[in-house]
Amino acid sequence: MPKAKGKSRQQKYNYNVDRKKQNRAFRKRAVPRIKCTQIRHAWDRTKTVKQNLAEMGLAVDPNKAIPIPKTMQQMLKMEVDGQEANVKTVRQPYVLNELESEASLPEKKSESLSQDLIDYVQHMIRSHGENYKAMARDEKNYYQDTPMYITRKINVYKHFYPEEYQTFVASLQPEKMEQQ
């Protein structure tokens, strides 16, 4: 069987490459970076993953952490014996406490709308009120949104900023009274 064309030639040594830097970068990429700060600070590189997580009070495999008995006899045996045999000492309980406290914090609402969409919706409501057909014919409707699509955009704005929407509509009421 014939050889590949480029493989028969002897490879040249590349003097322009820093081998030390290359090996360091390779080792850094090979070891995964632990994103969780609590686990990263408590991690011991000399131990295995299973040993590290067991010391922190965490499980490697959640299916094996709390076994599900398959027969009634095993369930009865577990009730009689109790869980004392499977209890392992947690040497670093602060990791578990920090993770629980972080998980109990309320989640920030990170979703928001673009300022362009907010301005668009406010212009449409200010100009046309609840008349969606007139909104569709408005010159600011650059993307030629249909009345139904404009309705959806306004509902999204109402959903994300309910207080701001109420104050905006309330500020429009005196303007309507002055025009009449």
Side-chain angles (χ1 to χ4, degrees):
M1 203 159 157
K3 291 184 181 179
K5 187 176 183 183
K7 298 296 177 185
S8 60
R9 225 172 337 138
Q10 188 176 1
Q11 297 294 319
K12 289 184 180 179
Y13 184 79
N14 189 358
Y15 290 97
N16 297 328
V17 175
D18 186 358
R19 301 283 176 213
K20 191 174 184 181
K21 190 187 285 186
Q22 197 176 28
N23 287 336
R24 197 178 307 132
F26 176 73
R27 269 190 261 116
K28 194 174 188 181
R29 270 187 255 113
V31 177
R33 175 122 170 96
I34 301 170
K35 292 182 181 177
C36 181
T37 56
Q38 295 88 352
I39 294 175
R40 188 180 338 119
H41 292 305
W43 197 264
D44 185 6
R45 292 199 183 275
T46 60
K47 296 180 181 172
T48 64
V49 174
K50 191 173 184 178
Q51 289 170 341
N52 272 310
L53 293 178
E55 283 185 358
M56 294 178 210
L58 302 172
V60 176
D61 186 5
N63 296 323
K64 292 180 182 175
I66 303 172
I68 299 172
K70 294 187 178 179
T71 63
M72 195 65 164
Q73 294 172 348
Q74 288 177 340
M75 287 177 59
L76 294 173
K77 190 184 288 184
M78 283 180 67
E79 289 175 6
V80 173
D81 294 343
Q83 294 287 336
E84 292 85 28
N86 291 339
V87 174
K88 296 177 183 174
T89 58
V90 179
R91 294 183 185 166
Q92 299 168 338
Y94 62 90
V95 175
L96 201 57
N97 296 337
E98 289 174 7
L99 288 171
E100 285 176 353
S101 64
E102 187 178 314
S104 67
L105 293 174
E107 186 178 336
K108 278 194 227 176
K109 192 173 185 181
S110 62
E111 297 173 340
S112 63
L113 298 176
S114 68
Q115 191 60 42
D116 292 337
L117 182 64
I118 293 170
D119 294 340
Y120 172 77
V121 168
Q122 287 179 351
H123 166 76
M124 292 297 186
I125 294 172
R126 191 179 303 115
S127 302
H128 306 288
E130 295 289 317
N131 189 355
Y132 298 111
K133 289 184 180 178
M135 289 180 193
R137 292 188 303 270
D138 193 303
E139 62 185 22
K140 286 262 185 174
N141 186 4
Y142 300 125
Y143 298 111
Q144 298 182 353
D145 295 331
T146 62
M148 194 65 199
Y149 199 72
I150 294 172
T151 308
R152 280 192 217 127
K153 284 185 177 181
I154 292 173
N155 288 338
V156 166
Y157 176 68
K158 287 179 188 178
H159 174 73
F160 277 102
Y161 303 105
E163 297 89 18
E164 188 177 319
Y165 176 77
Q166 292 299 329
T167 56
F168 176 68
V169 171
S171 70
L172 291 178
Q173 296 300 331
E175 292 178 16
K176 296 282 183 185
M177 294 292 190
E178 291 171 8
Q179 289 177 358
Q180 292 175 356

